[in-house]
Amino acid sequence: MLRRFFSSLSSPGPSRVFLYGEALLLLILGISLFTSYIQRYPFLSQTGGNRLQTSDDIQNFSRQPEESFSKQQNESGKDSESGSSAQSGTEEPAKEDSAAQKDYIKWVDFSIPSEAMTKAFRLDMDTCQAQLHFNWIELLAYLGARYGGDFSRYKASDLDALTQKLSDGTAMEELTKDMNYYHYYLEAYTAVLGGMVGTFQAEVPKDLLPEDSPYRKDAPDDGSETVWVTKYGLKAFSPIAYGFPYSDFDDFGTARSYGFKRQHLGHDMMGQVGTPIIAVESGTIEALGWNQYGGWRIGIRSFDQKRYYYYAHLRKNYPYQSGLQVGSQVQAGDVIGYMGRTGYSRTENTNNIDESHLHFGLQLIFDESQKEGNNEIWISCYELVKFLRQNQCLTEKTPDTKEWHRVYKTKDF
């Protein structure tokens, strides 16, 4: 019996040879596909929760040129509520041009908790006129490099220890010289937060200033009840006006199915129809109009070109503040539109969203090739919105037009 068994193995028939060959080919094909997938997608996704754990991960994933890949899109060429254009067609071979070889950040996972941002911001603001000024983004970049981007490890004592070392005379350059990819986190976090803190001018009531304030003494005697004051601090605003309630939760990356299956690349803030929507940062309007996913929406690009703010599902019939158009410049704190529930329809001015809310998105742009297409970087705004809530814009309604306007203005330098 054993002789017949070994004989059959050593002398397989034609059918058995075919089966062995087919199994071998399937094994080779499977290994090849798996290897290709790992090389192409070293992480599950930008929003899937996998964070960079090592410096090699950051080096290999965040800056190396990536192959383009096709996306499903609708007829207008827009691929989601973000309103960005998707490239169609099959995968194209890599182009041997200078643009493909540029060294810029390709991916950012922004997970800094609002508590850490607030503490770092307070340290920055409290020392803005001191000999040793703590830059809040540098402090956060240090923690990012220390944690490998995983801020679930954040402890306030780590920030206290860092500022103590700086106060004792150790320079940030010295503290980070052996810290792999501190500069990556510094550039990434600067792209997110770079326009939010700094020097600006604010209109304030005269009565709130001390009698001996130079701003009050030097104010023109024109009957105005306000004066312009130069300030340093948080100059970015919450996207929801002061006094208007809203609810939210961490919904970045959740599933969406209208049009095609995709991830939610924004932050939903549920509130009442007609709630004034505020420009978070000063910038230029780049998009204004209808998108079948986002309904009436508006897109604003920061003046440094690094951030694209996206506001969607605005109110039916009267979505925008009057006078706005593509190319208009807005100041942080301006009323730009009103909350609604438009979208999920190819027919303009259609309410097809079940619950009124603002879809608020923030896209990072390190190179213009990332503005639209397959290499876009959208970040979670949940913690950022919590941080910005400390600066909500006070608004009032104009009786004649029924529009809302900010009460006090600000100006960027």
Side-chain angles (χ1 to χ4, degrees):
M1 181 179 295
L2 290 176
R3 183 178 300 172
R4 286 198 302 271
F5 173 75
F6 287 111
S7 176
S8 65
L9 289 179
S10 60
S11 303
S15 61
R16 190 165 298 173
V17 169
F18 176 77
L19 289 174
Y20 290 166
E22 186 178 49
L24 181 60
L25 288 174
L26 288 174
L27 178 61
I28 294 173
L29 179 61
I31 293 173
S32 176
L33 289 173
F34 180 75
T35 302
S36 176
Y37 182 86
I38 292 299
Q39 291 176 345
R40 185 172 176 181
Y41 304 108
F43 301 95
L44 293 180
S45 73
Q46 179 179 336
T47 61
N50 278 14
R51 308 191 190 282
L52 301 177
Q53 298 298 326
T54 67
S55 58
D56 288 340
D57 291 337
I58 299 170
Q59 183 182 36
N60 293 333
F61 189 75
S62 64
R63 289 188 176 273
Q64 293 302 317
E66 299 172 357
E67 298 177 30
S68 62
F69 57 93
S70 62
K71 277 186 181 178
Q72 186 174 355
Q73 57 177 359
N74 62 37
E75 293 179 359
S76 66
K78 305 297 183 182
D79 71 331
S80 73
E81 290 167 293
S82 68
S84 56
S85 298
Q87 299 175 0
S88 61
T90 57
E91 184 176 329
E92 297 179 358
K95 296 180 180 180
E96 298 296 332
D97 56 16
S98 58
Q101 303 302 320
K102 287 182 182 178
D103 182 34
Y104 54 85
I105 290 179
K106 308 296 194 304
W107 181 85
V108 174
D109 180 13
F110 186 76
S111 62
I112 305 176
S114 60
E115 294 82 2
M117 283 187 276
T118 299
K119 185 175 178 65
F121 160 65
R122 294 296 177 187
L123 288 165
D124 185 311
M125 190 171 66
D126 291 344
T127 60
C128 67
Q129 294 183 327
Q131 185 175 0
L132 177 61
H133 176 211
F134 296 135
N135 182 298
W136 75 308
I137 301 179
E138 291 180 358
L139 299 179
L140 295 171
Y142 174 92
L143 294 181
R146 174 172 175 171
Y147 300 147
D150 181 6
F151 269 86
S152 65
R153 300 164 54 190
Y154 168 71
K155 294 184 295 184
S157 59
D158 290 339
L159 197 49
D160 293 334
L162 170 60
T163 55
Q164 184 60 54
K165 291 177 182 178
L166 293 171
S167 298
D168 290 341
T170 306
M172 183 66 81
E173 292 78 8
E174 179 68 21
L175 293 174
T176 59
K177 66 178 183 178
D178 297 323
M179 192 173 269
N180 287 331
Y181 299 100
Y182 162 76
H183 293 288
Y184 162 79
Y185 285 106
L186 181 61
E187 184 178 355
Y189 294 165
T190 299
V192 180
L193 306 170
M196 296 188 178
V197 172
T199 305
F200 62 101
Q201 288 185 310
E203 188 182 26
V204 300
K206 284 183 181 178
D207 294 342
L208 295 182
L209 297 174
E211 291 289 343
D212 58 349
S213 169
Y215 291 108
R216 188 165 183 171
K217 289 181 178 180
D218 298 338
D221 188 14
D222 56 2
S224 175
E225 297 180 354
T226 62
V227 295
W228 285 94
V229 175
T230 299
K231 304 178 70 175
Y232 181 92
L234 183 59
K235 57 183 181 177
F237 287 83
S238 166
I240 302 295
Y242 177 81
F244 290 85
Y246 71 88
S247 61
D248 63 347
F249 60 95
D250 190 358
D251 58 345
F252 188 77
T254 56
R256 293 291 186 270
S257 60
Y258 173 79
F260 62 97
K261 291 183 179 180
R262 63 193 189 281
Q263 290 180 315
H264 184 229
L265 300 181
H267 179 61
D268 287 345
M269 306 173 71
M270 281 64 72
Q272 300 174 345
V273 171
T275 295
I277 303 303
I278 304 299
V280 170
E281 185 182 348
S282 301
T284 304
I285 295 177
E286 286 194 348
L288 190 79
W290 182 261
N291 172 275
Q292 70 161 313
Y293 295 92
W296 293 121
R297 92 291 194 221
I298 184 169
I300 299 176
R301 186 80 166 266
S302 63
F303 287 137
D304 66 2
Q305 304 296 299
K306 293 294 186 181
R307 290 166 296 286
Y308 177 76
Y309 295 93
Y310 182 76
Y311 311 79
H313 306 312
L314 302 182
R315 184 174 62 183
K316 182 179 180 179
N317 296 326
Y318 207 101
Y320 311 118
Q321 194 76 331
S322 61
L324 295 184
Q325 58 186 355
V326 173
S328 297
Q329 292 188 351
V330 297
Q331 285 290 321
D334 285 352
V335 177
I336 56 174
Y338 302 93
M339 185 182 294
R341 57 186 190 90
T342 60
Y344 284 13
S345 175
R346 294 177 180 175
T347 303
E348 286 192 2
N349 208 34
T350 299
N351 276 337
N352 210 20
I353 302 294
D354 293 334
E355 184 176 6
S356 60
H357 69 276
L358 170 69
H359 171 100
F360 174 64
L362 177 53
Q363 180 188 7
L364 304 183
I365 302 168
F366 297 93
D367 185 83
E368 281 303 309
S369 64
Q370 297 174 308
K371 178 59 173 64
E372 295 182 347
N374 299 319
N375 298 316
E376 298 171 3
I377 302 175
W378 296 88
I379 64 167
S380 173
C381 296
Y382 177 64
E383 294 293 338
L384 184 61
V385 164
K386 288 168 63 178
F387 168 73
L388 291 174
R389 188 160 187 173
Q390 62 187 293
N391 194 27
Q392 290 187 284
C393 186
L394 180 64
T395 58
E396 61 183 0
K397 181 181 284 188
T398 303
D400 295 339
T401 64
K402 307 298 182 182
E403 286 190 327
W404 290 82
H405 293 86
R406 63 191 302 172
V407 177
Y408 303 112
K409 299 178 181 178
T410 58
K411 297 177 183 177
D412 271 327
F413 280 107

